[in-house]
Amino acid sequence: MSENLIEIRDLSVSFNGHTVVKHLSLDIPAGECLALVGESGSGKSVTAHSILQLLPQAGTLSTGSIRYRGKELLGADGNVMRELRGNQIAMIFQEPMTSLNPLHTVSRQIGETLLLHKGLTGKAAQARIIELLELVGIQHPKKRLKAYPHELSGGQRQRVMIAMALACEPELLIADEPTTALDVTVQRKILLLLKQLQQRLNMSLLLISHDLNLVHSIAQRVCVMRAGEIVEQSNCQLLFKNPQHPYSRLLLDAEPAGEPLPRDTREKVLEVDNLRVWFSLGGGIFNRHREYLKAVDDISLSIERGKTLGIVGESGSGKSTLGQAILRLLESRGSIRFKGHALDSLNQKQMRPWRKQMQVVFQDPYGSLSPRMSVAQIISEGLEVHSDLDKASCEAEVIRALEEVGINPSSRHRYPHEFSGGQRQRIAIARALVLKPALILLDEPTSALDRTVQKQVVALLRQLQERHGLTYLFISHDLAVVKALAHDLIVVKDGKVVERGASHDVFDAPQHPYTRELLAAAHPGFN
């Protein structure tokens, strides 16, 4: 048996009298990976932040014991914790873009850790930074030293965060949802990287995730949390073979299920031919030999009424640009026909009457819903612009839309921050639905949500499609969600369609290597 690096006993954490972690006890053995799994709000991150004493002091009450190699951390002196953080215990966060300083280069940010804890400067620091970037798989590390976070992809930013965390060779690395914001292929690479580093450096790893299936290949032990309590602790393989608690079984079965509704229609709602969106990169004297980023390059597609077309690909493949171009939110070249009417030649004023019939639901409901407006104001805004309904009729439509998406209409005067992530996405769907559109663009509508909530939202979208004959343009990198909703599929890479066909055909017998790579990343057992 390995000795315990961290021992947590009877930990309870309250914020302003509201208890979020309740009498929690767990051990993190030296050199092993422990996964802490549960939905948003279960207390996972609060538990992890308690280890490094990163919780806000005002209004926070923590009781119990957290020991690192026998040394009590709960209530420890600030100097003790500063010596520990980043040195013996390091942490990487869910969203690297908000964790990295946008004004500092990669070299400066990693170098700061080396300076504070190791006293390294100059050439010695630079050599160590390059070594760390190579360790986490950053290609051409010397060229990345002067790069800023916005110049890196999501996967590269997360690798830089891991490099910073490993700078002082910590004994424990806490990874708080390190792959949630990443594509499936990048998720797989980051998890494999963490597993390799943990074994190579013989460090302990506390992996926090809301996706129980995601931790299967990396963790030795799993703790399942719900409502601030651990409901099951087990060896990873045993838990997957025979979960004991109903909540563990719920998380294991949280993969979006079902198939797209059968539809026999030949009425075309949308037809797109040879659509192009090219962004100029400059270059060339007198604009000769100008270079372009071909975000969307000669893509054609069509959707029939009541069906869902899935658009699949990694970040940067051109999916969202394609969707925005179809809705005429971006300048493009090519033919766009909606219900038989040409939209590609219309200006923004001429497009306005068509906006009512073409709605969109975005990836992050917290970012797409105005924090200064109540739910009723958010949903009724479209009605005020696109209809002549009086105030009472508008309110009746808002109530109907909220009931359809499963939100209690009595909460319509509350604000977005008062709702959970899944509830906010339901509100965003209600905002699109209230105008009775013919086409809804769903741009990664479930990727920011827990698996169990994803499953609920997918079921809701299917119900609404059946009830109203809605046509969906569904953009996603999550193949499990796409499989549950899409009748047809196009796979996009570098602005081009590399594969298309009926959804079940593409899933059962993918033809292109890129499609097979996406499937293998989402389902490790796929060949």
Side-chain angles (χ1 to χ4, degrees):
M1 289 287 290
S2 302
E3 64 172 316
N4 291 326
L5 192 69
I6 297 286
E7 294 179 343
I8 301 177
R9 295 291 180 268
D10 200 32
L11 176 68
S12 293
V13 181
S14 301
F15 296 130
N16 297 314
H18 176 64
T19 303
V20 293
V21 174
K22 306 168 187 174
H23 306 292
L24 179 142
S25 296
L26 62 83
D27 296 324
I28 304 176
E32 290 190 14
C33 175
L34 172 72
L36 197 56
V37 181
E39 295 174 288
S40 295
S42 61
K44 310 182 302 296
S45 293
V46 172
T47 301
H49 287 208
S50 296
I51 295 173
L52 284 174
Q53 298 291 281
L54 294 176
L55 298 176
Q57 292 185 353
T60 302
L61 176 63
S62 300
T63 59
S65 172
I66 302 174
R67 290 183 174 272
Y68 163 71
R69 293 201 176 280
K71 184 188 297 183
E72 182 61 53
L73 301 183
L74 205 61
D77 179 77
N79 291 327
V80 172
M81 294 309 302
R82 277 190 290 273
E83 174 61 28
L84 199 68
R85 293 174 191 143
N87 205 4
Q88 282 87 30
I89 304 175
M91 191 167 186
I92 56 175
F93 298 93
Q94 176 175 346
E95 180 45 71
M97 195 61 186
T98 56
S99 304
L100 295 172
N101 191 323
L103 302 179
H104 292 172
T105 63
V106 167
S107 177
R108 182 170 178 179
Q109 298 197 55
I110 301 176
E112 186 176 22
T113 302
L114 294 172
L115 175 64
L116 285 173
H117 293 290
K118 299 294 184 183
L120 288 180
T121 58
K123 290 184 178 179
Q126 182 169 314
R128 176 59 175 157
I129 293 166
I130 292 171
E131 182 185 356
L132 287 164
L133 293 177
E134 287 176 341
L135 181 67
V136 298
I138 293 283
Q139 295 183 340
H140 312 297
K142 289 183 180 179
K143 294 181 180 179
R144 296 297 184 185
L145 292 176
K146 300 301 179 185
Y148 290 88
H150 70 273
E151 297 177 299
L152 304 174
S153 70
Q156 288 172 328
R157 287 195 290 264
Q158 196 61 287
R159 287 172 187 268
V160 170
M161 282 290 297
I162 295 171
M164 288 175 62
L166 296 178
C168 299
E169 299 179 0
E171 290 189 291
L172 171 64
L173 177 62
I174 302 172
D176 189 359
E177 298 274 15
T179 63
T180 300
L182 305 176
D183 295 333
V184 283
T185 49
V186 184
Q187 277 186 5
R188 191 182 188 191
K189 290 172 185 174
I190 293 295
L191 284 176
L192 287 173
L193 171 65
L194 287 173
K195 183 177 182 178
Q196 291 165 3
L197 291 172
Q198 183 236 334
Q199 294 172 346
R200 180 176 169 181
L201 303 175
N202 194 33
M203 67 179 177
S204 299
L205 177 62
L206 176 60
L207 178 62
I208 297 169
S209 179
H210 64 256
D211 189 345
L212 188 51
N213 291 289
L214 199 66
V215 306
H216 191 189
S217 61
I218 184 171
Q220 276 95 27
R221 290 189 61 79
V222 179
C223 293
V224 181
M225 282 192 74
R226 185 183 192 187
E229 298 177 291
I230 292 179
V231 296
E232 185 166 358
Q233 286 193 58
S234 177
N235 172 277
C236 187
Q237 301 303 322
L238 287 176
L239 186 137
F240 275 84
K241 285 180 181 177
N242 187 25
Q244 298 300 305
H245 196 276
Y247 183 65
S248 301
R249 292 194 288 272
L250 176 69
L251 291 180
L252 282 170
D253 295 335
E255 194 94 341
E259 294 183 348
L261 299 165
R263 282 284 182 268
D264 184 17
T265 174
R266 295 185 180 179
E267 179 189 340
K268 294 282 178 66
V269 170
L270 180 70
E271 297 170 273
V272 175
D273 292 304
N274 305 114
L275 195 67
R276 288 184 176 187
V277 180
W278 291 9
F279 297 109
S280 174
L281 298 176
I285 300 174
F286 304 118
N287 291 331
R288 294 176 184 174
H289 309 297
R290 183 180 289 271
E291 294 183 5
Y292 291 92
L293 170 64
K294 299 179 181 180
V296 176
D297 196 14
D298 282 324
I299 289 182
S300 300
L301 56 87
S302 64
I303 320 175
E304 296 170 342
R305 185 177 67 83
K307 286 191 173 183
T308 300
L309 175 66
I311 303 175
V312 176
E314 295 173 291
S315 294
S317 60
K319 308 184 305 292
S320 294
T321 303
L322 172 61
Q324 291 175 38
I326 289 171
L327 296 192
R328 296 297 317 283
L329 299 173
L330 285 175
E331 288 294 323
S332 62
R333 291 188 179 184
S335 171
I336 304 171
R337 296 184 67 80
F338 178 68
K339 289 187 168 183
H341 297 272
L343 302 184
D344 48 272
S345 60
L346 304 183
N347 60 35
Q348 290 303 311
K349 185 177 180 181
Q350 293 168 326
M351 272 298 300
R352 188 169 178 178
W354 295 100
R355 297 289 180 208
K356 179 180 179 181
Q357 297 188 56
M358 305 168 72
Q359 288 294 295
V360 61
V361 177
F362 295 100
Q363 175 176 351
D364 180 9
Y366 198 70
S368 64
L369 302 177
S370 172
R372 294 183 176 87
M373 297 171 69
S374 69
V375 166
Q377 291 170 326
I378 288 168
I379 297 174
S380 66
E381 189 177 25
L383 292 171
E384 293 167 8
V385 173
H386 293 290
S387 75
D388 298 322
L389 297 177
D390 58 29
K391 188 174 180 180
S393 299
C394 273
E395 187 168 24
E397 288 296 315
V398 169
I399 291 172
R400 180 193 61 78
L402 285 172
E403 286 175 340
E404 283 213 289
V405 299
I407 296 289
N408 189 337
S410 65
S411 64
R412 66 187 182 277
H413 301 299
R414 291 160 57 188
Y415 290 81
H417 72 271
E418 300 178 76
F419 295 85
S420 70
Q423 288 173 322
R424 285 196 290 265
Q425 197 59 291
R426 288 172 182 265
I427 292 164
I429 294 170
R431 176 175 60 181
L433 195 67
V434 76
L435 290 169
K436 302 181 177 67
L439 174 71
I440 298 182
L441 170 65
L442 301 161
D443 191 356
E444 300 272 14
T446 62
S447 62
L449 306 176
D450 291 340
R451 270 306 198 195
T452 49
V453 182
Q454 282 186 3
K455 190 174 183 178
Q456 295 164 10
V457 171
V458 167
L460 170 65
L461 289 170
R462 197 186 289 116
Q463 291 167 10
L464 295 172
Q465 186 172 47
E466 183 177 27
R467 192 177 302 156
H468 300 290
L470 294 170
T471 305
Y472 293 146
L473 193 61
F474 191 91
I475 295 171
S476 182
H477 66 257
D478 191 329
L479 296 177
V481 175
V482 172
K483 188 176 183 181
L485 268 179
H487 298 85
D488 300 295
L489 199 62
I490 64 172
V491 181
V492 181
K493 179 177 172 59
D494 299 328
K496 287 185 175 292
V497 175
V498 297
E499 187 161 355
R500 68 171 75 231
S503 180
H504 56 83
D505 289 339
V506 176
F507 277 97
D508 292 342
Q511 300 300 307
H512 196 276
Y514 179 65
T515 311
R516 291 196 289 270
E517 183 186 352
L518 290 176
L519 283 167
H523 306 283
F526 176 84
N527 292 313

